[in-house]
Amino acid sequence: MKVLSLISVTCLIVEAFGASLPKAEINNRKFPESFKWGAATAAYQIEGGWNEDGKGESMWDHFTHTNPSVTDDKLNGDVACDSYHRWREDIQLLKQLGVSVYRFSVAWTRILPTGYLDSYNQAGVDFYVTFVKELLANGITPTATLYHWDLPQVLNEQGGWLNDSTADRFGEYARIVFKNLGPYVKLWSTVNEPKSTCMLGYGDGANAPGIKQIGTAVYQCARVQLLAHATAYHIYHNEFAAEQEGKISLVIDSTYNEPATDSEADVEATDWETQFNLGWYAHPVYVGNWPQIMIDRIGNRSALEGLPKSRLPAWSAEELEFVKGTHDYFGLNMYTALRVSAIDEPEIGDSSYYSDKGTATSFGADWTPSIASWLVVYPFAMRGLLNYVWNNYNPGEIWVTENGVATNATINDQFRVDYLQGYLSNMLDAILDDGVNVAGYTTWSLLDNFEWARGYTQKFGIISVDFTSENLTRTFKDSAKWYQRTVNTYCLVEECVE
Ligand code: NOJ
């Protein structure tokens, strides 16, 4: 009881404290006319219909059904927002918002229920074809993610993201999706947030499939996901791109990292932090190979542990070439920031990603906490991270594929309005003042939905879903109204300078 009331008091304080960039500092220029506004969701988080029309079991179905306590509220995605049935209503909400882009994900298990080609499910393919056609008919451009964490359970039982052959299965699935949806979808992402999939699913075990091997499996998982991404990329470019004329890339999540002090040690630690997070996935794709600091540190620590080879799997020359350059844009999920400090070298014996990384992180005292423990509000982080990505990976074009915040608020979510206004203002600074080419933004999320291990306790939607009502009633929050005005005016304040 005591704990509960403490939590709600903290939340109240957070909501009241606000998260704003001082209003006077909000950028009052207009976004470029070519800028694309959108909203994002993912299949398992909104669809429901978990076993309908031939859909197979995904590892998230299995994870939540086998042990309901894996989520804070013991709930799962069996029904979620029921978008599998209510998708026409969702499209009308997008239209009402005025966005021109919708980022959704395809559920692998609707297309290939077991993950294998012989389980092909026409009903699943038809569902998404009808859906994207209806989006287009309503003037909304579909952008599709092929993998947003819902691996077929059959593949999971065969090693999932630790088994190299999952990359081949992913390619087979991707080919079916390109063939059928490619005429309508022109912007693809392969794997969403591979770091989160690996760290949460194979490192600390909070997400499906619940494996806790923080010093080993996380690296093998990264390797297989990168191979899967590259396999889909090459299939698209070799077999479809010439005719379909779309773009395809990986979506990488990253914090913005600041040194805790300007000491040389903290500045170096900040680079390590960035390389072990963003670089872990971006370096193989945009530069080639793992970041050198990962190769060195994990290699050295593995040797000192007496292991015959590094816990970080080495790429063959062929694999290096296969993964390098597999990008048409940079998909960036950006929410939060970290302050980074140097630490003494962790003792050998504890094979852990965190010891391998060898840094300590904290939040800035002036940053505002949200109700999600990992998410602090620091709008200036957006400009810094965009510049980092732009200058280090030279991607040509960036899409901010996710950005948003969790609150408890149902309708009056000024906290989120302030968050979005601050981050978008900072993004606009990067676009107009630093020349970073951000082509579009799909806010997370269109709807309150199933927030993985947090269940339905953390609401990221700009549109509320009343999960207790029979119709799962959707209602615009204040942030949706604010976003509606913004996407229609290309302006973050009441009136922009021309
Ligand atoms: C990233 C993930 O892609 C998405 O599924 C999740 O809901 C949001 N972050 C918020 O945690």
Side-chain angles (χ1 to χ4, degrees):
M1 212 34 209
K2 239 186 189 159
V3 175
L4 264 184
S5 55
L6 249 184
I7 290 175
S8 37
V9 168
T10 318
C11 295
L12 270 179
I13 293 171
V14 168
E15 301 271 335
F17 188 73
S20 30
L21 205 63
K23 293 288 170 201
E25 287 177 29
I26 301 292
N27 195 323
N28 65 352
R29 287 170 286 165
K30 284 201 168 189
F31 276 80
E33 268 172 34
S34 58
F35 192 78
K36 302 279 185 294
W37 297 99
T41 60
Y44 186 74
Q45 296 181 269
I46 67 158
E47 280 183 0
W50 78 277
N51 59 357
E52 283 183 50
D53 302 331
K55 179 181 170 295
E57 187 187 34
S58 77
M59 73 173 170
W60 267 95
D61 294 321
H62 188 81
F63 191 56
T64 54
H65 290 163
T66 333
N67 179 7
S69 319
V70 293
T71 57
D72 289 352
D73 51 11
K74 301 192 169 44
L75 298 175
N76 56 42
D78 285 5
V79 178
C81 307
D82 196 30
S83 291
Y84 185 66
H85 300 109
R86 299 176 193 276
W87 55 271
R88 285 182 194 280
E89 188 182 340
D90 293 346
I91 292 178
Q92 289 317 305
L93 294 171
L94 289 159
K95 203 173 166 184
Q96 206 182 324
L97 267 177
V99 293
S100 61
V101 174
Y102 182 45
R103 174 177 184 250
F104 68 100
S105 82
V106 176
W108 191 339
T109 49
R110 289 199 195 281
I111 310 294
L112 295 177
T114 65
Y116 283 92
L117 280 176
D118 62 3
S119 65
Y120 180 82
N121 181 33
Q122 189 62 48
V125 172
D126 293 346
F127 170 72
Y128 289 109
V129 171
T130 313
F131 176 66
V132 293
K133 281 186 174 171
E134 188 71 11
L135 279 170
L136 287 167
N138 281 277
I140 295 155
T141 305
T143 81
T145 305
L146 291 169
Y147 183 71
H148 203 122
W149 305 2
D150 44 358
L151 187 72
Q153 174 59 14
V154 171
L155 295 185
N156 181 42
E157 280 161 15
Q158 295 167 2
W161 290 115
L162 303 183
N163 182 342
D164 279 14
S165 70
T166 297
D168 300 323
R169 301 291 81 73
F170 184 69
E172 291 162 358
Y173 152 68
R175 181 179 283 112
I176 298 175
V177 180
F178 297 146
K179 183 166 171 237
N180 289 280
L181 298 191
Y184 315 105
V185 174
K186 303 299 168 194
L187 194 75
W188 296 96
S189 43
T190 52
V191 175
N192 174 71
E193 295 200 359
K195 184 186 67 189
S196 295
T197 315
C198 295
M199 288 297 290
L200 300 172
Y202 295 83
D204 76 12
N207 278 8
I211 291 173
K212 297 182 183 161
Q213 292 175 9
I214 193 75
T216 47
V218 290
Y219 300 126
Q220 170 63 5
C221 169
R223 169 191 150 77
V224 181
Q225 293 218 4
L226 284 164
L227 287 174
H229 152 76
T231 302
Y233 179 92
H234 289 299
I235 289 174
Y236 188 70
H237 276 274
N238 293 338
E239 302 174 29
F240 300 97
E243 194 183 325
Q244 298 184 351
E245 299 183 321
K247 292 183 178 175
I248 183 162
S249 273
L250 184 65
V251 163
I252 304 177
D253 54 307
S254 185
T255 51
Y256 173 63
N257 305 318
E258 274 191 358
T261 70
D262 54 13
S263 74
E264 225 174 273
D266 286 352
V267 171
E268 180 178 59
T270 305
D271 182 49
W272 292 7
E273 181 70 31
T274 301
Q275 298 307 331
F276 267 81
N277 285 281
L278 174 60
W280 187 5
Y281 294 90
H283 207 277
V285 171
Y286 290 86
V287 183
N289 211 343
W290 307 116
Q292 193 58 44
I293 192 68
M294 290 187 78
I295 298 175
D296 293 346
R297 286 193 53 83
I298 304 167
N300 290 341
R301 292 185 60 89
S302 301
L304 290 169
E305 286 159 14
L307 298 173
K309 59 179 185 187
S310 176
R311 287 180 278 101
L312 181 70
W315 302 103
S316 68
E318 205 185 318
E319 287 167 346
L320 273 183
E321 274 313 299
F322 186 68
V323 172
K324 186 177 164 182
T326 52
H327 57 86
D328 298 332
Y329 66 95
F330 198 112
L332 180 67
N333 286 0
M334 174 325 139
Y335 290 87
T336 187
L338 290 172
R339 287 237 159 108
V340 188
S341 327
I343 54 170
D344 292 339
E345 185 61 37
E347 279 185 23
I348 296 296
D350 161 31
S351 307
S352 154
Y353 161 87
Y354 293 104
S355 310
D356 292 339
K357 176 161 70 77
T359 60
T361 59
S362 58
F363 295 135
D366 51 331
W367 302 347
T368 310
S370 77
I371 60 165
S373 59
W374 56 275
L375 207 176
V376 287
V377 183
Y378 180 48
F380 298 103
M382 180 62 102
R383 185 174 183 178
L385 185 59
L386 286 170
N387 272 281
Y388 185 92
V389 168
W390 187 248
N391 295 327
N392 286 277
Y393 302 119
N394 192 23
E397 175 177 307
I398 300 175
W399 276 77
V400 175
T401 33
E402 284 184 33
N403 169 249
V405 72
T407 76
N408 285 324
T410 41
I411 302 297
N412 305 121
D413 59 343
Q414 188 60 35
F415 190 79
R416 180 175 289 101
V417 172
D418 291 343
Y419 176 98
L420 293 176
Q421 193 179 35
Y423 276 63
L424 281 165
S425 170
N426 207 238
M427 177 193 291
L428 188 55
D429 295 344
I431 297 173
L432 298 181
D433 298 332
D434 309 332
V436 179
N437 180 21
V438 184
Y441 172 89
T442 48
T443 200
W444 188 270
S445 178
L446 177 70
L447 302 171
D448 288 339
N449 59 46
F450 177 79
E451 176 59 11
W452 309 112
R454 305 284 77 80
Y456 297 89
T457 62
Q458 292 185 358
K459 301 179 189 316
F460 275 88
I462 56 172
I463 295 176
S464 101
V465 176
D466 180 356
F467 292 102
T468 61
S469 68
E470 203 188 324
N471 292 326
L472 294 161
T473 308
R474 279 96 155 122
T475 311
F476 269 39
K477 298 183 190 175
D478 291 346
S479 58
K481 292 182 191 152
W482 179 85
Y483 195 55
Q484 182 183 43
R485 189 196 74 189
T486 302
V487 312
N488 283 297
T489 58
Y490 288 65
C491 172
L492 298 169
V493 294
E494 292 269 320
E495 216 176 316
C496 271
V497 292
E498 283 304 325

